Structure formats: structure tokens, C-alpha cells
Amino acid sequence: EHRVEARTLELREQIAVREQIEAQLQHQVMHDALTGLPNRIYVRDRIERAIAALRRDEAFGFGLLYIDVDRFKVVNDSLGHSAGDAVLQQIARRLATCVREPDVVARIAGDEFVLLLEHVQQPETACKVAQRVLQALQPPLQVAERELQLSCSVGIAIAEPGCESADRILHDADVALYRAKDAGRNRF
């Protein structure tokens, strides 16, 4: 009887360890290693879920902010990649202060971030968040014993009931981002 109990306990411990490892692997697949933020895979899944919710109920709107750090390449080139990594980590923390639950801040590539704003039907709401993003990056960042003044450009896309896919709304927000950059950066 003790052997059976011991074996049962051993199996339960093995299952718990396996579940913990699976959870860690799932987290690694869905999150950016540098910032700890959700990554492109995670945010695309959340966007697809938001599109499905919008199809079920047109009152469920959502917006997407596509953010690019202005002149980030200069930071990497002049201070090195470790300083660039430190900048991205600080930016990630600042962006996280600009949203509320259940919104998502994700790092999708290099110096590109996405904010998925759920329950947003009006462009004005997304614009207010974009203003918070610009304000959050105004204070200088302390990196490599230097003070850096950075800005970002933001593209905004609001999903409409006919929204086709995550790729489409990401594309629309990216186009809006480059319009902001062309208009002079540090804007949305």
C-alpha cells in the first residue's frame, strides 16, 4: 500500500513538473524574451479573437496602435546593442502604463510595438491613448550613463465590422504609422 501511494505521489509530481515546463514553453513561444511583453504570435491571436467578437457583436469595437521608436537605429549604432536593449525595456515599461485591462502591449519586432485596445469604437479614444504614449516617452531615459530623449510615431487603425483579418488591420495601422513618420515623427 505504501508503494502504491509513493508511486502515485511520484507520478503526480512528474505531471506537475511537466505541466510547469509546458507552461514555461508556452510563455516563451508567446512572449518577447527581451521585454517580457507578448509577441507577434500572441497579439495576432488576440486580434483574431477581437475580430471574431466584432463579427458576433458590432458594438465590440477595437483599435490598434502601431508604434515605432523614432531614430532607434542611431541608439544602436552609437551606444551599442546592449544600450538599445535597455532602451527597449524602458519603453516597454512606459507603454504598459498607457493601457488598461484587457488591452495588450506587445513587441512585434525590433523597435516596433503594438497596442491592442479592446472595446474601442471611436477614433477619439484611440487618439487619447496615442497622446498618452507620446507623453510617456517625453521624459528622458537613462541608459549607459547617458540621458536619451526619444520619441515615437504611432499609426492608428480602428476595426470596422467588415474587418477581414489580423494581417489587414496590422497593415492598416502600419500604413498610418508611416504617414505619421512622413508628417514629421513624434506624432500619430
Side-chain angles (χ1 to χ4, degrees):
E1 192 172 308
H2 284 290
R3 280 186 178 176
V4 171
E5 287 178 16
R7 182 67 182 144
T8 302
L9 182 61
E10 182 181 322
L11 288 173
R12 284 185 183 151
E13 288 173 357
Q14 289 175 353
I15 290 170
V17 167
R18 186 176 325 155
E19 288 173 348
Q20 182 181 8
I21 290 170
E22 287 173 3
Q24 288 172 337
L25 289 173
Q26 180 72 10
H27 182 81
Q28 289 173 352
V29 167
M30 303 292 263
H31 289 78
D32 174 58
L34 178 66
T35 63
L37 292 176
N39 63 16
R40 180 181 290 273
I41 296 167
Y42 181 94
V43 80
R44 286 186 85 253
D45 179 64
R46 284 289 298 270
I47 293 168
E48 291 293 348
R49 290 181 194 197
I51 291 170
L54 181 61
R55 287 184 184 135
R56 286 190 305 274
D57 180 4
E58 289 185 9
F60 180 91
F62 70 93
L64 200 67
L65 275 61
Y66 203 119
I67 301 164
D68 183 73
V69 181
D70 295 331
R71 299 179 183 91
F72 180 73
K73 187 177 182 323
V74 173
V75 173
N76 269 340
D77 291 348
S78 62
L79 299 177
H81 291 282
S82 62
D85 288 351
V87 166
L88 293 173
Q89 290 168 334
Q90 288 185 47
I91 289 171
R93 285 191 293 274
R94 290 185 185 191
L95 291 176
T97 67
C98 298
V99 297
R100 68 205 188 307
E101 286 290 330
D103 300 337
V104 176
V105 178
R107 178 175 176 230
I108 60 170
D111 63 328
E112 296 176 352
F113 297 85
V114 167
L115 275 61
L116 171 62
L117 309 175
E118 295 192 10
H119 308 291
V120 170
Q121 293 87 14
Q122 302 300 319
E124 295 80 18
T125 305
C127 289
K128 287 179 184 175
V129 176
Q131 287 171 332
R132 283 200 304 262
V133 166
L134 296 177
Q135 289 170 352
L137 289 184
Q138 277 184 343
L141 288 93
Q142 301 294 323
V143 176
E145 298 179 15
R146 296 192 182 181
E147 201 170 85
L148 301 178
Q149 187 68 53
L150 294 177
S151 64
C152 67
S153 297
V154 182
I156 301 172
I158 304 295
E160 298 191 359
C163 187
E164 303 162 15
S165 67
D167 289 334
R168 180 61 198 201
I169 194 159
L170 281 163
H171 171 76
D172 291 348
D174 190 37
V175 168
L177 165 68
Y178 281 94
R179 286 184 186 155
K181 282 191 172 292
D182 288 345
R185 303 178 193 266
N186 196 31
R187 64 188 66 229
F188 60 90

